[in-house]
Amino acid sequence: MDNTSITYDRNLFADNLTRLMKENRERQIDIARLLGVSKSTVSAYCSGAQMPRMDKLEQLAHHFGVTRGELLGEAPESPRIEEDKPASPIVPLYEALNERGQSELIRYGRYLVQQPEYKAGREPEKIVTIKHYLVPAAAGYASPIEGEDYENIPLDPSAPVGADFCITVRGDSMEPFIPDGSLVYVRRGAALQEFEVGVFFVDGDVYCKQWCVDYGGTLHLLSANPVRQDANISISRDSGRSCICFGKVLLDHRLPPPSYY
């Protein structure tokens, strides 16, 4: 196969790719893994600086369920004139039947048009999904969110707008606001104000906590449940420990600071 880049409007392709990624909640790293290329290559696709090879383009079109022309922004084909349409097979079938057979054919046809799955022009409803990380990553211990341990589940219509993934909370340290077993939705890269709830990666474990920084610069990951202060985590500046915030937990209201803090 020719490995040279195909020549099309790069900016139009970049706009279409970016739109499809947003609609399907895909990140550049997800596309990079799909195509077997680097994230910087996908970034070049999205900026219009580079076009993919033909085989990668076909892979993208198949992944998003669109045609290559739709992905590239090509003009749609002109509709075929009526003379080009193949003759319907129903007429010769009908004429080959006797009167009783014709009645049966009509009766069954009327039955079929009443069935939703057989009606012309009906497209299957697109199910919007979201990544659900399988290892509980909440008010206890878990594995890094950046791994591959996730499944795509249907997005609940009542889910908060802007969520990038969801996790299942295990443990009681965030009760009563986030009960054990709750599904919480998280937005990556969202700015957290003090005492808001986030998902944090510390020393190989993942926690769902409120946060704050004291006057000495020590980071505190706090339990909302006052009886679970034993689950709090404090990280001083000179501790050598690292803390990564995976995102903001989207709640229907802002939690107050813990009553004991």
Side-chain angles (χ1 to χ4, degrees):
M1 178 176 292
D2 184 7
N3 288 331
T4 59
S5 295
I6 52 181
T7 56
Y8 286 98
D9 187 328
R10 293 183 177 183
N11 291 329
L12 190 54
F13 165 76
D15 290 343
N16 289 334
L17 177 59
T18 302
R19 173 179 55 81
L20 288 167
M21 289 170 59
K22 183 177 181 180
E23 291 174 355
N24 290 271
R25 298 177 181 272
E26 296 275 6
R27 299 169 299 158
Q28 290 184 5
I29 188 63
D30 298 320
I31 300 303
R33 291 169 180 163
L34 170 73
L35 300 180
V37 299
S38 66
K39 183 180 177 182
S40 62
T41 297
V42 178
S43 179
Y45 294 165
C46 293
S47 67
Q50 183 177 336
M51 287 291 291
R53 301 181 316 189
M54 181 66 73
D55 57 332
K56 303 298 185 185
L57 185 65
E58 294 287 356
Q59 194 173 358
L60 281 171
H62 177 75
H63 175 70
F64 288 118
V66 299
T67 66
R68 188 183 68 189
E70 290 173 319
L71 187 58
L72 292 170
E74 296 174 345
E77 296 181 0
S78 300
R80 302 180 66 181
I81 59 176
E82 191 68 24
E83 289 74 15
D84 289 337
K85 294 181 63 176
S88 172
I90 196 67
V91 174
L93 285 175
Y94 180 83
E95 293 178 345
L97 298 172
N98 60 23
E99 184 176 349
R100 181 180 176 186
Q102 291 174 349
S103 297
E104 283 297 304
L105 181 61
I106 293 173
R107 182 190 65 80
Y108 189 61
R110 287 173 176 166
Y111 164 76
L112 289 179
V113 298
Q114 298 301 318
Q115 309 310 307
E117 64 268 32
Y118 296 123
K119 287 190 176 182
R122 179 181 176 88
E123 297 182 358
E125 182 179 353
K126 185 177 181 180
I127 300 177
V128 179
T129 61
I130 190 170
K131 289 181 179 178
H132 173 237
Y133 286 89
L134 300 177
V135 179
Y141 308 97
S143 297
I145 292 292
E146 292 296 336
E148 295 291 335
D149 193 15
Y150 67 83
E151 62 180 351
N152 287 312
I153 63 172
L155 180 62
D156 191 320
S158 63
V161 176
D164 295 305
F165 65 89
C166 60
I167 57 176
T168 301
V169 172
R170 298 298 183 197
D172 61 354
S173 70
M174 294 303 291
E175 291 187 350
F177 305 103
I178 305 177
D180 181 19
S182 298
L183 189 69
V184 295
Y185 294 87
V186 184
R187 180 184 299 167
R188 295 185 189 276
L192 269 72
Q193 298 182 18
E194 197 169 47
F195 296 113
E196 286 190 321
V197 181
V199 177
F200 302 92
F201 179 54
V202 182
D203 299 336
D205 295 320
V206 174
Y207 303 87
C208 176
K209 298 289 184 183
Q210 293 179 267
W211 78 281
C212 72
V213 176
D214 63 23
Y215 292 111
T218 297
L219 170 66
H220 299 279
L221 302 182
L222 304 173
S223 302
N225 187 348
V227 302
R228 289 307 315 276
Q229 297 180 48
D230 61 301
N232 291 354
I233 301 171
S234 296
I235 305 174
S236 62
R237 287 180 174 179
D238 57 356
S239 66
R241 303 170 69 189
S242 63
C243 176
I244 299 173
C245 179
F246 284 129
K248 175 181 177 179
V249 175
L250 302 180
L251 301 173
D252 56 5
H253 65 281
R254 184 172 178 175
L255 270 58
S259 58
Y260 58 83
Y261 188 77

mmCIF file with all atom_site columns, all heavy atoms in Angstrom, residues 59-76:
data_model
loop_
_atom_site.group_PDB
_atom_site.id
_atom_site.type_symbol
_atom_site.label_atom_id
_atom_site.label_alt_id
_atom_site.label_comp_id
_atom_site.label_asym_id
_atom_site.label_entity_id
_atom_site.label_seq_id
_atom_site.pdbx_PDB_ins_code
_atom_site.Cartn_x
_atom_site.Cartn_y
_atom_site.Cartn_z
_atom_site.occupancy
_atom_site.B_iso_or_equiv
_atom_site.pdbx_formal_charge
_atom_site.auth_seq_id
_atom_site.auth_comp_id
_atom_site.auth_asym_id
_atom_site.auth_atom_id
_atom_site.pdbx_PDB_model_num
ATOM 1   N N   . GLN A 1 59 ? -9.521  3.088  8.843  1.00 0.00 ? 59 GLN A N   1
ATOM 2   C CA  . GLN A 1 59 ? -9.702  2.613  10.219 1.00 0.00 ? 59 GLN A CA  1
ATOM 3   C C   . GLN A 1 59 ? -10.494 3.615  11.044 1.00 0.00 ? 59 GLN A C   1
ATOM 4   O O   . GLN A 1 59 ? -11.373 3.246  11.830 1.00 0.00 ? 59 GLN A O   1
ATOM 5   C CB  . GLN A 1 59 ? -8.338  2.347  10.840 1.00 0.00 ? 59 GLN A CB  1
ATOM 6   C CG  . GLN A 1 59 ? -8.393  1.536  12.137 1.00 0.00 ? 59 GLN A CG  1
ATOM 7   C CD  . GLN A 1 59 ? -7.005  1.147  12.624 1.00 0.00 ? 59 GLN A CD  1
ATOM 8   O OE1 . GLN A 1 59 ? -5.997  1.446  11.984 1.00 0.00 ? 59 GLN A OE1 1
ATOM 9   N NE2 . GLN A 1 59 ? -6.952  0.485  13.764 1.00 0.00 ? 59 GLN A NE2 1
ATOM 10  N N   . LEU A 1 60 ? -10.207 4.907  10.855 1.00 0.00 ? 60 LEU A N   1
ATOM 11  C CA  . LEU A 1 60 ? -10.944 5.949  11.564 1.00 0.00 ? 60 LEU A CA  1
ATOM 12  C C   . LEU A 1 60 ? -12.403 5.975  11.148 1.00 0.00 ? 60 LEU A C   1
ATOM 13  O O   . LEU A 1 60 ? -13.308 6.073  11.988 1.00 0.00 ? 60 LEU A O   1
ATOM 14  C CB  . LEU A 1 60 ? -10.307 7.317  11.296 1.00 0.00 ? 60 LEU A CB  1
ATOM 15  C CG  . LEU A 1 60 ? -9.055  7.669  12.083 1.00 0.00 ? 60 LEU A CG  1
ATOM 16  C CD1 . LEU A 1 60 ? -8.429  8.944  11.534 1.00 0.00 ? 60 LEU A CD1 1
ATOM 17  C CD2 . LEU A 1 60 ? -9.366  7.831  13.563 1.00 0.00 ? 60 LEU A CD2 1
ATOM 18  N N   . ALA A 1 61 ? -12.646 5.901  9.835  1.00 0.00 ? 61 ALA A N   1
ATOM 19  C CA  . ALA A 1 61 ? -14.021 5.924  9.336  1.00 0.00 ? 61 ALA A CA  1
ATOM 20  C C   . ALA A 1 61 ? -14.820 4.747  9.885  1.00 0.00 ? 61 ALA A C   1
ATOM 21  O O   . ALA A 1 61 ? -15.968 4.899  10.328 1.00 0.00 ? 61 ALA A O   1
ATOM 22  C CB  . ALA A 1 61 ? -14.022 5.898  7.799  1.00 0.00 ? 61 ALA A CB  1
ATOM 23  N N   . HIS A 1 62 ? -14.205 3.562  9.906  1.00 0.00 ? 62 HIS A N   1
ATOM 24  C CA  . HIS A 1 62 ? -14.891 2.380  10.454 1.00 0.00 ? 62 HIS A CA  1
ATOM 25  C C   . HIS A 1 62 ? -15.150 2.543  11.940 1.00 0.00 ? 62 HIS A C   1
ATOM 26  O O   . HIS A 1 62 ? -16.222 2.192  12.446 1.00 0.00 ? 62 HIS A O   1
ATOM 27  C CB  . HIS A 1 62 ? -14.038 1.135  10.196 1.00 0.00 ? 62 HIS A CB  1
ATOM 28  C CG  . HIS A 1 62 ? -14.614 -0.128 10.782 1.00 0.00 ? 62 HIS A CG  1
ATOM 29  N ND1 . HIS A 1 62 ? -15.684 -0.778 10.220 1.00 0.00 ? 62 HIS A ND1 1
ATOM 30  C CD2 . HIS A 1 62 ? -14.276 -0.830 11.895 1.00 0.00 ? 62 HIS A CD2 1
ATOM 31  C CE1 . HIS A 1 62 ? -15.978 -1.836 10.959 1.00 0.00 ? 62 HIS A CE1 1
ATOM 32  N NE2 . HIS A 1 62 ? -15.141 -1.884 11.985 1.00 0.00 ? 62 HIS A NE2 1
ATOM 33  N N   . HIS A 1 63 ? -14.182 3.099  12.665 1.00 0.00 ? 63 HIS A N   1
ATOM 34  C CA  . HIS A 1 63 ? -14.314 3.280  14.117 1.00 0.00 ? 63 HIS A CA  1
ATOM 35  C C   . HIS A 1 63 ? -15.477 4.200  14.456 1.00 0.00 ? 63 HIS A C   1
ATOM 36  O O   . HIS A 1 63 ? -16.244 3.935  15.394 1.00 0.00 ? 63 HIS A O   1
ATOM 37  C CB  . HIS A 1 63 ? -13.004 3.839  14.678 1.00 0.00 ? 63 HIS A CB  1
ATOM 38  C CG  . HIS A 1 63 ? -13.057 4.168  16.138 1.00 0.00 ? 63 HIS A CG  1
ATOM 39  N ND1 . HIS A 1 63 ? -13.124 3.204  17.125 1.00 0.00 ? 63 HIS A ND1 1
ATOM 40  C CD2 . HIS A 1 63 ? -13.062 5.369  16.777 1.00 0.00 ? 63 HIS A CD2 1
ATOM 41  C CE1 . HIS A 1 63 ? -13.171 3.789  18.308 1.00 0.00 ? 63 HIS A CE1 1
ATOM 42  N NE2 . HIS A 1 63 ? -13.128 5.101  18.130 1.00 0.00 ? 63 HIS A NE2 1
ATOM 43  N N   . PHE A 1 64 ? -15.631 5.303  13.710 1.00 0.00 ? 64 PHE A N   1
ATOM 44  C CA  . PHE A 1 64 ? -16.680 6.276  14.006 1.00 0.00 ? 64 PHE A CA  1
ATOM 45  C C   . PHE A 1 64 ? -17.991 5.963  13.281 1.00 0.00 ? 64 PHE A C   1
ATOM 46  O O   . PHE A 1 64 ? -18.983 6.673  13.485 1.00 0.00 ? 64 PHE A O   1
ATOM 47  C CB  . PHE A 1 64 ? -16.214 7.684  13.625 1.00 0.00 ? 64 PHE A CB  1
ATOM 48  C CG  . PHE A 1 64 ? -15.162 8.239  14.538 1.00 0.00 ? 64 PHE A CG  1
ATOM 49  C CD1 . PHE A 1 64 ? -13.898 8.561  14.065 1.00 0.00 ? 64 PHE A CD1 1
ATOM 50  C CD2 . PHE A 1 64 ? -15.421 8.437  15.884 1.00 0.00 ? 64 PHE A CD2 1
ATOM 51  C CE1 . PHE A 1 64 ? -12.923 9.075  14.914 1.00 0.00 ? 64 PHE A CE1 1
ATOM 52  C CE2 . PHE A 1 64 ? -14.460 8.954  16.738 1.00 0.00 ? 64 PHE A CE2 1
ATOM 53  C CZ  . PHE A 1 64 ? -13.206 9.266  16.250 1.00 0.00 ? 64 PHE A CZ  1
ATOM 54  N N   . GLY A 1 65 ? -18.013 4.918  12.455 1.00 0.00 ? 65 GLY A N   1
ATOM 55  C CA  . GLY A 1 65 ? -19.246 4.543  11.773 1.00 0.00 ? 65 GLY A CA  1
ATOM 56  C C   . GLY A 1 65 ? -19.661 5.531  10.696 1.00 0.00 ? 65 GLY A C   1
ATOM 57  O O   . GLY A 1 65 ? -20.852 5.767  10.503 1.00 0.00 ? 65 GLY A O   1
ATOM 58  N N   . VAL A 1 66 ? -18.690 6.132  10.009 1.00 0.00 ? 66 VAL A N   1
ATOM 59  C CA  . VAL A 1 66 ? -18.978 7.072  8.931  1.00 0.00 ? 66 VAL A CA  1
ATOM 60  C C   . VAL A 1 66 ? -18.246 6.615  7.681  1.00 0.00 ? 66 VAL A C   1
ATOM 61  O O   . VAL A 1 66 ? -17.387 5.730  7.727  1.00 0.00 ? 66 VAL A O   1
ATOM 62  C CB  . VAL A 1 66 ? -18.538 8.512  9.299  1.00 0.00 ? 66 VAL A CB  1
ATOM 63  C CG1 . VAL A 1 66 ? -19.287 9.008  10.526 1.00 0.00 ? 66 VAL A CG1 1
ATOM 64  C CG2 . VAL A 1 66 ? -17.028 8.582  9.543  1.00 0.00 ? 66 VAL A CG2 1
ATOM 65  N N   . THR A 1 67 ? -18.580 7.225  6.552  1.00 0.00 ? 67 THR A N   1
ATOM 66  C CA  . THR A 1 67 ? -17.862 6.924  5.321  1.00 0.00 ? 67 THR A CA  1
ATOM 67  C C   . THR A 1 67 ? -16.580 7.729  5.268  1.00 0.00 ? 67 THR A C   1
ATOM 68  O O   . THR A 1 67 ? -16.424 8.723  5.984  1.00 0.00 ? 67 THR A O   1
ATOM 69  C CB  . THR A 1 67 ? -18.713 7.259  4.089  1.00 0.00 ? 67 THR A CB  1
ATOM 70  O OG1 . THR A 1 67 ? -18.925 8.673  4.040  1.00 0.00 ? 67 THR A OG1 1
ATOM 71  C CG2 . THR A 1 67 ? -20.063 6.550  4.142  1.00 0.00 ? 67 THR A CG2 1
ATOM 72  N N   . ARG A 1 68 ? -15.672 7.304  4.398  1.00 0.00 ? 68 ARG A N   1
ATOM 73  C CA  . ARG A 1 68 ? -14.435 8.050  4.245  1.00 0.00 ? 68 ARG A CA  1
ATOM 74  C C   . ARG A 1 68 ? -14.731 9.462  3.750  1.00 0.00 ? 68 ARG A C   1
ATOM 75  O O   . ARG A 1 68 ? -14.097 10.425 4.169  1.00 0.00 ? 68 ARG A O   1
ATOM 76  C CB  . ARG A 1 68 ? -13.509 7.329  3.274  1.00 0.00 ? 68 ARG A CB  1
ATOM 77  C CG  . ARG A 1 68 ? -12.102 7.932  3.197  1.00 0.00 ? 68 ARG A CG  1
ATOM 78  C CD  . ARG A 1 68 ? -11.262 7.224  2.177  1.00 0.00 ? 68 ARG A CD  1
ATOM 79  N NE  . ARG A 1 68 ? -11.763 7.469  0.835  1.00 0.00 ? 68 ARG A NE  1
ATOM 80  C CZ  . ARG A 1 68 ? -11.333 6.846  -0.255 1.00 0.00 ? 68 ARG A CZ  1
ATOM 81  N NH1 . ARG A 1 68 ? -10.425 5.900  -0.153 1.00 0.00 ? 68 ARG A NH1 1
ATOM 82  N NH2 . ARG A 1 68 ? -11.833 7.128  -1.437 1.00 0.00 ? 68 ARG A NH2 1
ATOM 83  N N   . GLY A 1 69 ? -15.711 9.569  2.846  1.00 0.00 ? 69 GLY A N   1
ATOM 84  C CA  . GLY A 1 69 ? -16.078 10.885 2.329  1.00 0.00 ? 69 GLY A CA  1
ATOM 85  C C   . GLY A 1 69 ? -16.594 11.807 3.410  1.00 0.00 ? 69 GLY A C   1
ATOM 86  O O   . GLY A 1 69 ? -16.274 12.995 3.431  1.00 0.00 ? 69 GLY A O   1
ATOM 87  N N   . GLU A 1 70 ? -17.389 11.276 4.356  1.00 0.00 ? 70 GLU A N   1
ATOM 88  C CA  . GLU A 1 70 ? -17.894 12.100 5.449  1.00 0.00 ? 70 GLU A CA  1
ATOM 89  C C   . GLU A 1 70 ? -16.758 12.556 6.347  1.00 0.00 ? 70 GLU A C   1
ATOM 90  O O   . GLU A 1 70 ? -16.765 13.681 6.859  1.00 0.00 ? 70 GLU A O   1
ATOM 91  C CB  . GLU A 1 70 ? -18.924 11.314 6.265  1.00 0.00 ? 70 GLU A CB  1
ATOM 92  C CG  . GLU A 1 70 ? -20.233 11.075 5.520  1.00 0.00 ? 70 GLU A CG  1
ATOM 93  C CD  . GLU A 1 70 ? -21.164 10.149 6.283  1.00 0.00 ? 70 GLU A CD  1
ATOM 94  O OE1 . GLU A 1 70 ? -20.670 9.158  6.860  1.00 0.00 ? 70 GLU A OE1 1
ATOM 95  O OE2 . GLU A 1 70 ? -22.366 10.403 6.298  1.00 0.00 ? 70 GLU A OE2 1
ATOM 96  N N   . LEU A 1 71 ? -15.785 11.692 6.555  1.00 0.00 ? 71 LEU A N   1
ATOM 97  C CA  . LEU A 1 71 ? -14.650 12.042 7.405  1.00 0.00 ? 71 LEU A CA  1
ATOM 98  C C   . LEU A 1 71 ? -13.794 13.128 6.750  1.00 0.00 ? 71 LEU A C   1
ATOM 99  O O   . LEU A 1 71 ? -13.297 14.034 7.411  1.00 0.00 ? 71 LEU A O   1
ATOM 100 C CB  . LEU A 1 71 ? -13.808 10.799 7.678  1.00 0.00 ? 71 LEU A CB  1
ATOM 101 C CG  . LEU A 1 71 ? -12.652 10.928 8.680  1.00 0.00 ? 71 LEU A CG  1
ATOM 102 C CD1 . LEU A 1 71 ? -13.161 11.405 10.034 1.00 0.00 ? 71 LEU A CD1 1
ATOM 103 C CD2 . LEU A 1 71 ? -11.946 9.595  8.822  1.00 0.00 ? 71 LEU A CD2 1
ATOM 104 N N   . LEU A 1 72 ? -13.654 13.043 5.431  1.00 0.00 ? 72 LEU A N   1
ATOM 105 C CA  . LEU A 1 72 ? -12.829 14.011 4.712  1.00 0.00 ? 72 LEU A CA  1
ATOM 106 C C   . LEU A 1 72 ? -13.584 15.277 4.341  1.00 0.00 ? 72 LEU A C   1
ATOM 107 O O   . LEU A 1 72 ? -12.986 16.278 3.966  1.00 0.00 ? 72 LEU A O   1
ATOM 108 C CB  . LEU A 1 72 ? -12.260 13.374 3.441  1.00 0.00 ? 72 LEU A CB  1
ATOM 109 C CG  . LEU A 1 72 ? -11.235 12.259 3.669  1.00 0.00 ? 72 LEU A CG  1
ATOM 110 C CD1 . LEU A 1 72 ? -10.945 11.553 2.359  1.00 0.00 ? 72 LEU A CD1 1
ATOM 111 C CD2 . LEU A 1 72 ? -9.960  12.827 4.265  1.00 0.00 ? 72 LEU A CD2 1
ATOM 112 N N   . GLY A 1 73 ? -14.932 15.218 4.425  1.00 0.00 ? 73 GLY A N   1
ATOM 113 C CA  . GLY A 1 73 ? -15.711 16.384 4.055  1.00 0.00 ? 73 GLY A CA  1
ATOM 114 C C   . GLY A 1 73 ? -15.928 16.506 2.569  1.00 0.00 ? 73 GLY A C   1
ATOM 115 O O   . GLY A 1 73 ? -16.169 17.602 2.048  1.00 0.00 ? 73 GLY A O   1
ATOM 116 N N   . GLU A 1 74 ? -15.853 15.360 1.847  1.00 0.00 ? 74 GLU A N   1
ATOM 117 C CA  . GLU A 1 74 ? -16.090 15.401 0.415  1.00 0.00 ? 74 GLU A CA  1
ATOM 118 C C   . GLU A 1 74 ? -17.538 15.737 0.120  1.00 0.00 ? 74 GLU A C   1
ATOM 119 O O   . GLU A 1 74 ? -18.433 15.483 0.928  1.00 0.00 ? 74 GLU A O   1
ATOM 120 C CB  . GLU A 1 74 ? -15.754 14.046 -0.223 1.00 0.00 ? 74 GLU A CB  1
ATOM 121 C CG  . GLU A 1 74 ? -14.280 13.672 -0.118 1.00 0.00 ? 74 GLU A CG  1
ATOM 122 C CD  . GLU A 1 74 ? -14.031 12.268 -0.641 1.00 0.00 ? 74 GLU A CD  1
ATOM 123 O OE1 . GLU A 1 74 ? -15.025 11.529 -0.807 1.00 0.00 ? 74 GLU A OE1 1
ATOM 124 O OE2 . GLU A 1 74 ? -12.863 11.936 -0.878 1.00 0.00 ? 74 GLU A OE2 1
ATOM 125 N N   . ALA A 1 75 ? -17.794 16.294 -1.052 1.00 0.00 ? 75 ALA A N   1
ATOM 126 C CA  . ALA A 1 75 ? -19.163 16.580 -1.464 1.00 0.00 ? 75 ALA A CA  1
ATOM 127 C C   . ALA A 1 75 ? -19.911 15.281 -1.648 1.00 0.00 ? 75 ALA A C   1
ATOM 128 O O   . ALA A 1 75 ? -19.370 14.307 -2.180 1.00 0.00 ? 75 ALA A O   1
ATOM 129 C CB  . ALA A 1 75 ? -19.160 17.370 -2.775 1.00 0.00 ? 75 ALA A CB  1
ATOM 130 N N   . PRO A 1 76 ? -21.165 15.179 -1.186 1.00 0.00 ? 76 PRO A N   1
ATOM 131 C CA  . PRO A 1 76 ? -21.927 13.945 -1.339 1.00 0.00 ? 76 PRO A CA  1
ATOM 132 C C   . PRO A 1 76 ? -22.183 13.637 -2.798 1.00 0.00 ? 76 PRO A C   1
ATOM 133 O O   . PRO A 1 76 ? -22.236 14.528 -3.645 1.00 0.00 ? 76 PRO A O   1
ATOM 134 C CB  . PRO A 1 76 ? -23.237 14.251 -0.595 1.00 0.00 ? 76 PRO A CB  1
ATOM 135 C CG  . PRO A 1 76 ? -23.338 15.732 -0.615 1.00 0.00 ? 76 PRO A CG  1
ATOM 136 C CD  . PRO A 1 76 ? -21.932 16.256 -0.565 1.00 0.00 ? 76 PRO A CD  1
#
